[in-house]
Amino acid sequence: MNAAHAVEYFWSNTPDLRNWDAIIDLLTTVSSQILELVVVNTLMICIQKVHGHIIVQAGKVIKNLQSPPLVEDVDRLMQCFLKRLPSLIARYKSNVSITKELMKIPRFFRSTLKDIIQREQFRAILDIFHQEFLTNDEKQIVKEVMLTLSILEKNEHFVVDVRHRIDDCLHRLEKVDEQQVGRLWRLVILTKFNHEDFSSKLYDSIRPLLQSSNDEVLKEITSLLFQGIICQSISNKGESQFSFRNSMVEDLQKIYENCSSLILKSQIHLKTFKLLRVLPSHSLDDHCLSFFSKIIGTSKNKMFHLSLRYQR
């Protein structure tokens, strides 16, 4: 029996599965990393359960986003973790597996902040996330941090405080050079979850690095360009959008033609297929189709039908 099945089995008769302080106390007192992971996994399942996100049927865990959350339990969850999440993050900072899960918890904050104390607790958590995004070298954790921030930003009660932190992250990362590859991959993650933040200003700041001879830098620049193409293709900004995107396509083409790294060429090839999965087929004009068909080695017509097939 895995953790999800155990939670489902004991849910009705075990109130402590919704006693967040009790679960946290258990986590901080178990004697091994294996048991810590078991408790954390159980905690995350219980959190999803009170939000109605999962059910277990016929021995299978099923995502069920239509079920209403258990409002009182959701409120207690937020009150508990507003107080205790900072100390948990500090305690397990060196444990990537646990920290990665802890960074997901604020995504489940749903209710309003009831007083000044809760507002300050929430801002303290945002400050931790802001710092982790800028300084943590584990990409898994950085991704979870930015995904959580982007989800919180969609909540009208949190949007102002969250947007302030994201904007500051972007401002700090915009000026990069060849010695700061970490800033580049953080920019890739930031724009992946916040499409509107891929601006012409950001594009101008990374363009000088197109001349780099460092394959690691070019790898991240390539990821950023693909991310920018996606961001511009799913936005609705008229002619300027196409001009902006086509400039990025031309830069990609230069990297592809000039680089000698087979690994980098393979990355561009793979990202082209991935891009076809997310772009609306009508957004692929002749300029894009010509370049991407050259990458994949097929005609523009076949390329267009291939994009349709990937999106089904």
PDB file of all heavy atoms in Angstrom, residues 6-41:
ATOM      1  N   ALA A   6      -2.911   4.644   1.499  1.00  0.00           N
ATOM      2  CA  ALA A   6      -3.021   4.668   2.958  1.00  0.00           C
ATOM      3  C   ALA A   6      -3.845   5.868   3.413  1.00  0.00           C
ATOM      4  O   ALA A   6      -4.708   5.739   4.292  1.00  0.00           O
ATOM      5  CB  ALA A   6      -1.622   4.717   3.580  1.00  0.00           C
ATOM      6  N   VAL A   7      -3.594   7.039   2.803  1.00  0.00           N
ATOM      7  CA  VAL A   7      -4.366   8.236   3.162  1.00  0.00           C
ATOM      8  C   VAL A   7      -5.840   8.024   2.869  1.00  0.00           C
ATOM      9  O   VAL A   7      -6.714   8.339   3.687  1.00  0.00           O
ATOM     10  CB  VAL A   7      -3.824   9.473   2.405  1.00  0.00           C
ATOM     11  CG1 VAL A   7      -4.794  10.650   2.532  1.00  0.00           C
ATOM     12  CG2 VAL A   7      -2.454   9.856   2.940  1.00  0.00           C
ATOM     13  N   GLU A   8      -6.154   7.466   1.710  1.00  0.00           N
ATOM     14  CA  GLU A   8      -7.550   7.238   1.330  1.00  0.00           C
ATOM     15  C   GLU A   8      -8.219   6.263   2.297  1.00  0.00           C
ATOM     16  O   GLU A   8      -9.374   6.461   2.707  1.00  0.00           O
ATOM     17  CB  GLU A   8      -7.611   6.693  -0.096  1.00  0.00           C
ATOM     18  CG  GLU A   8      -8.998   6.613  -0.689  1.00  0.00           C
ATOM     19  CD  GLU A   8      -9.555   7.982  -1.061  1.00  0.00           C
ATOM     20  OE1 GLU A   8      -8.758   8.938  -1.166  1.00  0.00           O
ATOM     21  OE2 GLU A   8     -10.770   8.084  -1.241  1.00  0.00           O
ATOM     22  N   TYR A   9      -7.466   5.242   2.689  1.00  0.00           N
ATOM     23  CA  TYR A   9      -8.024   4.196   3.559  1.00  0.00           C
ATOM     24  C   TYR A   9      -8.346   4.744   4.957  1.00  0.00           C
ATOM     25  O   TYR A   9      -9.380   4.438   5.541  1.00  0.00           O
ATOM     26  CB  TYR A   9      -7.015   3.042   3.671  1.00  0.00           C
ATOM     27  CG  TYR A   9      -7.513   1.867   4.463  1.00  0.00           C
ATOM     28  CD1 TYR A   9      -8.379   0.928   3.888  1.00  0.00           C
ATOM     29  CD2 TYR A   9      -7.125   1.691   5.789  1.00  0.00           C
ATOM     30  CE1 TYR A   9      -8.843  -0.152   4.624  1.00  0.00           C
ATOM     31  CE2 TYR A   9      -7.575   0.618   6.530  1.00  0.00           C
ATOM     32  CZ  TYR A   9      -8.442  -0.311   5.943  1.00  0.00           C
ATOM     33  OH  TYR A   9      -8.894  -1.372   6.675  1.00  0.00           O
ATOM     34  N   PHE A  10      -7.442   5.600   5.488  1.00  0.00           N
ATOM     35  CA  PHE A  10      -7.599   6.069   6.865  1.00  0.00           C
ATOM     36  C   PHE A  10      -8.264   7.445   6.967  1.00  0.00           C
ATOM     37  O   PHE A  10      -8.493   7.942   8.064  1.00  0.00           O
ATOM     38  CB  PHE A  10      -6.225   6.146   7.556  1.00  0.00           C
ATOM     39  CG  PHE A  10      -5.593   4.801   7.790  1.00  0.00           C
ATOM     40  CD1 PHE A  10      -4.485   4.400   7.067  1.00  0.00           C
ATOM     41  CD2 PHE A  10      -6.123   3.931   8.747  1.00  0.00           C
ATOM     42  CE1 PHE A  10      -3.900   3.161   7.288  1.00  0.00           C
ATOM     43  CE2 PHE A  10      -5.538   2.687   8.978  1.00  0.00           C
ATOM     44  CZ  PHE A  10      -4.426   2.300   8.241  1.00  0.00           C
ATOM     45  N   TRP A  11      -8.581   8.049   5.837  1.00  0.00           N
ATOM     46  CA  TRP A  11      -9.009   9.449   5.816  1.00  0.00           C
ATOM     47  C   TRP A  11     -10.204   9.734   6.742  1.00  0.00           C
ATOM     48  O   TRP A  11     -10.186  10.661   7.545  1.00  0.00           O
ATOM     49  CB  TRP A  11      -9.351   9.844   4.377  1.00  0.00           C
ATOM     50  CG  TRP A  11      -9.622  11.306   4.205  1.00  0.00           C
ATOM     51  CD1 TRP A  11     -10.832  11.919   4.018  1.00  0.00           C
ATOM     52  CD2 TRP A  11      -8.658  12.359   4.189  1.00  0.00           C
ATOM     53  NE1 TRP A  11     -10.684  13.276   3.882  1.00  0.00           N
ATOM     54  CE2 TRP A  11      -9.352  13.584   3.987  1.00  0.00           C
ATOM     55  CE3 TRP A  11      -7.274  12.407   4.323  1.00  0.00           C
ATOM     56  CZ2 TRP A  11      -8.710  14.815   3.916  1.00  0.00           C
ATOM     57  CZ3 TRP A  11      -6.639  13.640   4.251  1.00  0.00           C
ATOM     58  CH2 TRP A  11      -7.348  14.814   4.052  1.00  0.00           C
ATOM     59  N   SER A  12     -11.229   8.928   6.623  1.00  0.00           N
ATOM     60  CA  SER A  12     -12.473   9.214   7.358  1.00  0.00           C
ATOM     61  C   SER A  12     -12.333   9.045   8.866  1.00  0.00           C
ATOM     62  O   SER A  12     -13.010   9.720   9.652  1.00  0.00           O
ATOM     63  CB  SER A  12     -13.604   8.310   6.851  1.00  0.00           C
ATOM     64  OG  SER A  12     -13.839   8.537   5.485  1.00  0.00           O
ATOM     65  N   ASN A  13     -11.453   8.142   9.295  1.00  0.00           N
ATOM     66  CA  ASN A  13     -11.379   7.799  10.715  1.00  0.00           C
ATOM     67  C   ASN A  13     -10.121   8.309  11.410  1.00  0.00           C
ATOM     68  O   ASN A  13      -9.863   7.946  12.561  1.00  0.00           O
ATOM     69  CB  ASN A  13     -11.451   6.272  10.875  1.00  0.00           C
ATOM     70  CG  ASN A  13     -12.740   5.704  10.301  1.00  0.00           C
ATOM     71  OD1 ASN A  13     -13.822   6.233  10.561  1.00  0.00           O
ATOM     72  ND2 ASN A  13     -12.624   4.651   9.508  1.00  0.00           N
ATOM     73  N   THR A  14      -9.330   9.110  10.705  1.00  0.00           N
ATOM     74  CA  THR A  14      -8.067   9.579  11.287  1.00  0.00           C
ATOM     75  C   THR A  14      -7.963  11.090  11.142  1.00  0.00           C
ATOM     76  O   THR A  14      -7.384  11.602  10.172  1.00  0.00           O
ATOM     77  CB  THR A  14      -6.860   8.892  10.600  1.00  0.00           C
ATOM     78  OG1 THR A  14      -7.096   7.487  10.527  1.00  0.00           O
ATOM     79  CG2 THR A  14      -5.567   9.158  11.361  1.00  0.00           C
ATOM     80  N   PRO A  15      -8.523  11.838  12.080  1.00  0.00           N
ATOM     81  CA  PRO A  15      -8.498  13.302  11.995  1.00  0.00           C
ATOM     82  C   PRO A  15      -7.088  13.883  11.920  1.00  0.00           C
ATOM     83  O   PRO A  15      -6.895  14.969  11.373  1.00  0.00           O
ATOM     84  CB  PRO A  15      -9.207  13.745  13.286  1.00  0.00           C
ATOM     85  CG  PRO A  15     -10.047  12.574  13.686  1.00  0.00           C
ATOM     86  CD  PRO A  15      -9.279  11.363  13.257  1.00  0.00           C
ATOM     87  N   ASP A  16      -6.097  13.160  12.483  1.00  0.00           N
ATOM     88  CA  ASP A  16      -4.732  13.687  12.474  1.00  0.00           C
ATOM     89  C   ASP A  16      -4.166  13.844  11.067  1.00  0.00           C
ATOM     90  O   ASP A  16      -3.166  14.539  10.874  1.00  0.00           O
ATOM     91  CB  ASP A  16      -3.800  12.792  13.302  1.00  0.00           C
ATOM     92  CG  ASP A  16      -3.862  13.146  14.785  1.00  0.00           C
ATOM     93  OD1 ASP A  16      -4.476  14.186  15.111  1.00  0.00           O
ATOM     94  OD2 ASP A  16      -3.289  12.403  15.589  1.00  0.00           O
ATOM     95  N   LEU A  17      -4.786  13.199  10.069  1.00  0.00           N
ATOM     96  CA  LEU A  17      -4.340  13.391   8.694  1.00  0.00           C
ATOM     97  C   LEU A  17      -4.672  14.801   8.193  1.00  0.00           C
ATOM     98  O   LEU A  17      -4.185  15.217   7.141  1.00  0.00           O
ATOM     99  CB  LEU A  17      -4.967  12.344   7.767  1.00  0.00           C
ATOM    100  CG  LEU A  17      -4.432  10.925   7.920  1.00  0.00           C
ATOM    101  CD1 LEU A  17      -5.214   9.965   7.028  1.00  0.00           C
ATOM    102  CD2 LEU A  17      -2.942  10.856   7.577  1.00  0.00           C
ATOM    103  N   ARG A  18      -5.492  15.506   8.970  1.00  0.00           N
ATOM    104  CA  ARG A  18      -5.779  16.912   8.648  1.00  0.00           C
ATOM    105  C   ARG A  18      -5.312  17.840   9.771  1.00  0.00           C
ATOM    106  O   ARG A  18      -5.673  19.010   9.795  1.00  0.00           O
ATOM    107  CB  ARG A  18      -7.284  17.097   8.384  1.00  0.00           C
ATOM    108  CG  ARG A  18      -7.755  16.291   7.192  1.00  0.00           C
ATOM    109  CD  ARG A  18      -9.211  16.556   6.844  1.00  0.00           C
ATOM    110  NE  ARG A  18     -10.147  16.027   7.801  1.00  0.00           N
ATOM    111  CZ  ARG A  18     -10.485  14.722   7.903  1.00  0.00           C
ATOM    112  NH1 ARG A  18      -9.925  13.835   7.089  1.00  0.00           N
ATOM    113  NH2 ARG A  18     -11.374  14.322   8.788  1.00  0.00           N
ATOM    114  N   ASN A  19      -4.500  17.267  10.657  1.00  0.00           N
ATOM    115  CA  ASN A  19      -3.890  18.064  11.724  1.00  0.00           C
ATOM    116  C   ASN A  19      -2.470  18.408  11.269  1.00  0.00           C
ATOM    117  O   ASN A  19      -1.537  17.633  11.444  1.00  0.00           O
ATOM    118  CB  ASN A  19      -3.867  17.274  13.038  1.00  0.00           C
ATOM    119  CG  ASN A  19      -3.310  18.079  14.187  1.00  0.00           C
ATOM    120  OD1 ASN A  19      -2.549  19.020  14.000  1.00  0.00           O
ATOM    121  ND2 ASN A  19      -3.694  17.703  15.399  1.00  0.00           N
ATOM    122  N   TRP A  20      -2.337  19.578  10.675  1.00  0.00           N
ATOM    123  CA  TRP A  20      -1.070  19.925  10.009  1.00  0.00           C
ATOM    124  C   TRP A  20       0.075  20.060  11.003  1.00  0.00           C
ATOM    125  O   TRP A  20       1.204  19.653  10.701  1.00  0.00           O
ATOM    126  CB  TRP A  20      -1.272  21.212   9.208  1.00  0.00           C
ATOM    127  CG  TRP A  20      -2.489  21.141   8.334  1.00  0.00           C
ATOM    128  CD1 TRP A  20      -3.640  21.863   8.462  1.00  0.00           C
ATOM    129  CD2 TRP A  20      -2.714  20.240   7.244  1.00  0.00           C
ATOM    130  NE1 TRP A  20      -4.562  21.488   7.510  1.00  0.00           N
ATOM    131  CE2 TRP A  20      -4.012  20.492   6.739  1.00  0.00           C
ATOM    132  CE3 TRP A  20      -1.944  19.255   6.628  1.00  0.00           C
ATOM    133  CZ2 TRP A  20      -4.559  19.797   5.670  1.00  0.00           C
ATOM    134  CZ3 TRP A  20      -2.490  18.559   5.553  1.00  0.00           C
ATOM    135  CH2 TRP A  20      -3.769  18.824   5.090  1.00  0.00           C
ATOM    136  N   ASP A  21      -0.193  20.598  12.174  1.00  0.00           N
ATOM    137  CA  ASP A  21       0.869  20.707  13.176  1.00  0.00           C
ATOM    138  C   ASP A  21       1.361  19.329  13.602  1.00  0.00           C
ATOM    139  O   ASP A  21       2.564  19.123  13.811  1.00  0.00           O
ATOM    140  CB  ASP A  21       0.368  21.483  14.403  1.00  0.00           C
ATOM    141  CG  ASP A  21       0.345  22.980  14.165  1.00  0.00           C
ATOM    142  OD1 ASP A  21       1.394  23.520  13.761  1.00  0.00           O
ATOM    143  OD2 ASP A  21      -0.710  23.604  14.360  1.00  0.00           O
ATOM    144  N   ALA A  22       0.438  18.379  13.726  1.00  0.00           N
ATOM    145  CA  ALA A  22       0.828  17.030  14.147  1.00  0.00           C
ATOM    146  C   ALA A  22       1.717  16.369  13.087  1.00  0.00           C
ATOM    147  O   ALA A  22       2.704  15.702  13.420  1.00  0.00           O
ATOM    148  CB  ALA A  22      -0.420  16.182  14.394  1.00  0.00           C
ATOM    149  N   ILE A  23       1.375  16.555  11.810  1.00  0.00           N
ATOM    150  CA  ILE A  23       2.188  15.964  10.746  1.00  0.00           C
ATOM    151  C   ILE A  23       3.572  16.608  10.711  1.00  0.00           C
ATOM    152  O   ILE A  23       4.587  15.931  10.539  1.00  0.00           O
ATOM    153  CB  ILE A  23       1.485  16.110   9.380  1.00  0.00           C
ATOM    154  CG1 ILE A  23       0.150  15.367   9.388  1.00  0.00           C
ATOM    155  CG2 ILE A  23       2.377  15.555   8.266  1.00  0.00           C
ATOM    156  CD1 ILE A  23      -0.651  15.508   8.100  1.00  0.00           C
ATOM    157  N   ILE A  24       3.625  17.930  10.895  1.00  0.00           N
ATOM    158  CA  ILE A  24       4.922  18.620  10.914  1.00  0.00           C
ATOM    159  C   ILE A  24       5.757  18.144  12.097  1.00  0.00           C
ATOM    160  O   ILE A  24       6.966  17.904  11.964  1.00  0.00           O
ATOM    161  CB  ILE A  24       4.720  20.146  10.977  1.00  0.00           C
ATOM    162  CG1 ILE A  24       4.099  20.645   9.667  1.00  0.00           C
ATOM    163  CG2 ILE A  24       6.046  20.861  11.230  1.00  0.00           C
ATOM    164  CD1 ILE A  24       3.671  22.091   9.704  1.00  0.00           C
ATOM    165  N   ASP A  25       5.132  17.998  13.253  1.00  0.00           N
ATOM    166  CA  ASP A  25       5.857  17.505  14.432  1.00  0.00           C
ATOM    167  C   ASP A  25       6.409  16.107  14.178  1.00  0.00           C
ATOM    168  O   ASP A  25       7.540  15.791  14.583  1.00  0.00           O
ATOM    169  CB  ASP A  25       4.934  17.491  15.654  1.00  0.00           C
ATOM    170  CG  ASP A  25       4.582  18.892  16.129  1.00  0.00           C
ATOM    171  OD1 ASP A  25       5.305  19.843  15.758  1.00  0.00           O
ATOM    172  OD2 ASP A  25       3.568  19.029  16.841  1.00  0.00           O
ATOM    173  N   LEU A  26       5.610  15.271  13.514  1.00  0.00           N
ATOM    174  CA  LEU A  26       6.089  13.933  13.176  1.00  0.00           C
ATOM    175  C   LEU A  26       7.278  14.009  12.232  1.00  0.00           C
ATOM    176  O   LEU A  26       8.280  13.303  12.411  1.00  0.00           O
ATOM    177  CB  LEU A  26       4.950  13.123  12.529  1.00  0.00           C
ATOM    178  CG  LEU A  26       5.304  11.712  12.056  1.00  0.00           C
ATOM    179  CD1 LEU A  26       5.765  10.844  13.221  1.00  0.00           C
ATOM    180  CD2 LEU A  26       4.113  11.063  11.349  1.00  0.00           C
ATOM    181  N   LEU A  27       7.186  14.873  11.229  1.00  0.00           N
ATOM    182  CA  LEU A  27       8.282  15.027  10.266  1.00  0.00           C
ATOM    183  C   LEU A  27       9.588  15.403  10.951  1.00  0.00           C
ATOM    184  O   LEU A  27      10.655  14.873  10.619  1.00  0.00           O
ATOM    185  CB  LEU A  27       7.905  16.091   9.232  1.00  0.00           C
ATOM    186  CG  LEU A  27       9.005  16.543   8.253  1.00  0.00           C
ATOM    187  CD1 LEU A  27       9.475  15.381   7.404  1.00  0.00           C
ATOM    188  CD2 LEU A  27       8.505  17.683   7.384  1.00  0.00           C
ATOM    189  N   THR A  28       9.503  16.295  11.915  1.00  0.00           N
ATOM    190  CA  THR A  28      10.728  16.801  12.552  1.00  0.00           C
ATOM    191  C   THR A  28      11.270  15.885  13.646  1.00  0.00           C
ATOM    192  O   THR A  28      12.333  16.168  14.204  1.00  0.00           O
ATOM    193  CB  THR A  28      10.470  18.198  13.156  1.00  0.00           C
ATOM    194  OG1 THR A  28       9.384  18.131  14.066  1.00  0.00           O
ATOM    195  CG2 THR A  28      10.152  19.203  12.047  1.00  0.00           C
ATOM    196  N   THR A  29      10.557  14.796  13.925  1.00  0.00           N
ATOM    197  CA  THR A  29      11.036  13.891  14.978  1.00  0.00           C
ATOM    198  C   THR A  29      11.420  12.507  14.465  1.00  0.00           C
ATOM    199  O   THR A  29      12.012  11.734  15.221  1.00  0.00           O
ATOM    200  CB  THR A  29       9.963  13.728  16.084  1.00  0.00           C
ATOM    201  OG1 THR A  29       8.733  13.293  15.491  1.00  0.00           O
ATOM    202  CG2 THR A  29       9.742  15.038  16.815  1.00  0.00           C
ATOM    203  N   VAL A  30      11.083  12.167  13.211  1.00  0.00           N
ATOM    204  CA  VAL A  30      11.454  10.836  12.712  1.00  0.00           C
ATOM    205  C   VAL A  30      12.968  10.744  12.590  1.00  0.00           C
ATOM    206  O   VAL A  30      13.672  11.749  12.453  1.00  0.00           O
ATOM    207  CB  VAL A  30      10.781  10.520  11.358  1.00  0.00           C
ATOM    208  CG1 VAL A  30       9.289  10.384  11.527  1.00  0.00           C
ATOM    209  CG2 VAL A  30      11.116  11.580  10.320  1.00  0.00           C
ATOM    210  N   SER A  31      13.458   9.503  12.596  1.00  0.00           N
ATOM    211  CA  SER A  31      14.899   9.293  12.798  1.00  0.00           C
ATOM    212  C   SER A  31      15.702   9.007  11.537  1.00  0.00           C
ATOM    213  O   SER A  31      16.901   8.778  11.618  1.00  0.00           O
ATOM    214  CB  SER A  31      15.098   8.131  13.781  1.00  0.00           C
ATOM    215  OG  SER A  31      14.456   6.956  13.281  1.00  0.00           O
ATOM    216  N   SER A  32      15.079   8.994  10.370  1.00  0.00           N
ATOM    217  CA  SER A  32      15.849   8.693   9.164  1.00  0.00           C
ATOM    218  C   SER A  32      15.311   9.480   7.978  1.00  0.00           C
ATOM    219  O   SER A  32      14.155   9.929   7.979  1.00  0.00           O
ATOM    220  CB  SER A  32      15.791   7.201   8.836  1.00  0.00           C
ATOM    221  OG  SER A  32      14.502   6.845   8.351  1.00  0.00           O
ATOM    222  N   GLN A  33      16.164   9.661   6.955  1.00  0.00           N
ATOM    223  CA  GLN A  33      15.757  10.399   5.766  1.00  0.00           C
ATOM    224  C   GLN A  33      14.646   9.673   5.010  1.00  0.00           C
ATOM    225  O   GLN A  33      13.782  10.314   4.410  1.00  0.00           O
ATOM    226  CB  GLN A  33      16.959  10.620   4.847  1.00  0.00           C
ATOM    227  CG  GLN A  33      17.948  11.638   5.392  1.00  0.00           C
ATOM    228  CD  GLN A  33      18.999  12.026   4.372  1.00  0.00           C
ATOM    229  OE1 GLN A  33      19.055  11.482   3.273  1.00  0.00           O
ATOM    230  NE2 GLN A  33      19.846  12.976   4.736  1.00  0.00           N
ATOM    231  N   ILE A  34      14.664   8.349   5.048  1.00  0.00           N
ATOM    232  CA  ILE A  34      13.615   7.578   4.371  1.00  0.00           C
ATOM    233  C   ILE A  34      12.259   7.872   5.004  1.00  0.00           C
ATOM    234  O   ILE A  34      11.261   8.121   4.307  1.00  0.00           O
ATOM    235  CB  ILE A  34      13.925   6.072   4.419  1.00  0.00           C
ATOM    236  CG1 ILE A  34      15.173   5.766   3.584  1.00  0.00           C
ATOM    237  CG2 ILE A  34      12.726   5.256   3.913  1.00  0.00           C
ATOM    238  CD1 ILE A  34      15.614   4.326   3.640  1.00  0.00           C
ATOM    239  N   LEU A  35      12.224   7.873   6.334  1.00  0.00           N
ATOM    240  CA  LEU A  35      10.966   8.164   7.033  1.00  0.00           C
ATOM    241  C   LEU A  35      10.539   9.619   6.802  1.00  0.00           C
ATOM    242  O   LEU A  35       9.352   9.916   6.690  1.00  0.00           O
ATOM    243  CB  LEU A  35      11.116   7.893   8.523  1.00  0.00           C
ATOM    244  CG  LEU A  35      11.187   6.411   8.923  1.00  0.00           C
ATOM    245  CD1 LEU A  35      11.430   6.276  10.424  1.00  0.00           C
ATOM    246  CD2 LEU A  35       9.895   5.689   8.535  1.00  0.00           C
ATOM    247  N   GLU A  36      11.508  10.526   6.724  1.00  0.00           N
ATOM    248  CA  GLU A  36      11.183  11.925   6.422  1.00  0.00           C
ATOM    249  C   GLU A  36      10.482  12.044   5.084  1.00  0.00           C
ATOM    250  O   GLU A  36       9.477  12.751   4.945  1.00  0.00           O
ATOM    251  CB  GLU A  36      12.460  12.772   6.429  1.00  0.00           C
ATOM    252  CG  GLU A  36      13.026  13.037   7.811  1.00  0.00           C
ATOM    253  CD  GLU A  36      14.369  13.747   7.766  1.00  0.00           C
ATOM    254  OE1 GLU A  36      15.014  13.734   6.686  1.00  0.00           O
ATOM    255  OE2 GLU A  36      14.782  14.300   8.797  1.00  0.00           O
ATOM    256  N   LEU A  37      10.997  11.328   4.091  1.00  0.00           N
ATOM    257  CA  LEU A  37      10.374  11.366   2.765  1.00  0.00           C
ATOM    258  C   LEU A  37       8.975  10.772   2.782  1.00  0.00           C
ATOM    259  O   LEU A  37       8.067  11.271   2.110  1.00  0.00           O
ATOM    260  CB  LEU A  37      11.256  10.625   1.754  1.00  0.00           C
ATOM    261  CG  LEU A  37      12.490  11.378   1.256  1.00  0.00           C
ATOM    262  CD1 LEU A  37      13.356  10.474   0.380  1.00  0.00           C
ATOM    263  CD2 LEU A  37      12.087  12.622   0.464  1.00  0.00           C
ATOM    264  N   VAL A  38       8.794   9.708   3.552  1.00  0.00           N
ATOM    265  CA  VAL A  38       7.466   9.091   3.667  1.00  0.00           C
ATOM    266  C   VAL A  38       6.477  10.093   4.267  1.00  0.00           C
ATOM    267  O   VAL A  38       5.354  10.260   3.772  1.00  0.00           O
ATOM    268  CB  VAL A  38       7.531   7.815   4.532  1.00  0.00           C
ATOM    269  CG1 VAL A  38       6.122   7.317   4.854  1.00  0.00           C
ATOM    270  CG2 VAL A  38       8.319   6.725   3.813  1.00  0.00           C
ATOM    271  N   VAL A  39       6.903  10.774   5.314  1.00  0.00           N
ATOM    272  CA  VAL A  39       6.019  11.736   5.968  1.00  0.00           C
ATOM    273  C   VAL A  39       5.720  12.913   5.044  1.00  0.00           C
ATOM    274  O   VAL A  39       4.570  13.368   4.943  1.00  0.00           O
ATOM    275  CB  VAL A  39       6.644  12.238   7.292  1.00  0.00           C
ATOM    276  CG1 VAL A  39       5.765  13.332   7.906  1.00  0.00           C
ATOM    277  CG2 VAL A  39       6.802  11.085   8.270  1.00  0.00           C
ATOM    278  N   VAL A  40       6.735  13.405   4.342  1.00  0.00           N
ATOM    279  CA  VAL A  40       6.524  14.531   3.423  1.00  0.00           C
ATOM    280  C   VAL A  40       5.576  14.135   2.293  1.00  0.00           C
ATOM    281  O   VAL A  40       4.679  14.902   1.917  1.00  0.00           O
ATOM    282  CB  VAL A  40       7.870  15.038   2.858  1.00  0.00           C
ATOM    283  CG1 VAL A  40       7.644  15.961   1.660  1.00  0.00           C
ATOM    284  CG2 VAL A  40       8.641  15.782   3.928  1.00  0.00           C
ATOM    285  N   ASN A  41       5.773  12.946   1.743  1.00  0.00           N
ATOM    286  CA  ASN A  41       4.872  12.479   0.679  1.00  0.00           C
ATOM    287  C   ASN A  41       3.440  12.353   1.189  1.00  0.00           C
ATOM    288  O   ASN A  41       2.478  12.712   0.488  1.00  0.00           O
ATOM    289  CB  ASN A  41       5.363  11.129   0.131  1.00  0.00           C
ATOM    290  CG  ASN A  41       6.608  11.265  -0.718  1.00  0.00           C
ATOM    291  OD1 ASN A  41       6.884  12.327  -1.270  1.00  0.00           O
ATOM    292  ND2 ASN A  41       7.379  10.196  -0.824  1.00  0.00           N
TER     293      ASN A  41
END
